[in-house]
Amino acid sequence: MQLETRPTAASSYARSLVSRGCPQPLATLAGEILAKTDNAREYSPDEKAVIEQAYAQLSR
């Protein structure tokens, strides 16, 4: 495991998703999308689908 001394927003989102049960590849992709903007209105339909899929994987 590699320790990031200055984690990016995307990697922080991805780490949070993985820690809650989302598979790493999906979490990485969703993290990149989430880091792009905080405004959900700016996401494309494909980006929204990835984010929804990532959150659907989370442990409850």
Side-chain angles (χ1 to χ4, degrees):
M1 185 169 156
Q2 202 173 32
L3 181 63
E4 294 179 82
T5 56
R6 291 186 176 201
T8 63
S11 66
S12 293
Y13 279 121
R15 262 194 320 279
S16 294
L17 289 168
V18 168
S19 73
R20 295 179 58 201
C22 183
Q24 174 101 32
L26 181 57
T28 300
L29 183 56
E32 291 173 6
I33 295 167
L34 290 166
K36 185 170 66 169
T37 180
D38 289 337
N39 187 353
R41 293 180 198 177
E42 294 180 19
Y43 298 138
S44 73
D46 289 339
E47 290 172 329
K48 286 180 185 179
V50 168
I51 293 167
E52 288 172 6
Q53 186 178 5
Y55 278 97
Q57 298 290 319
L58 302 184
S59 303
R60 295 175 192 215

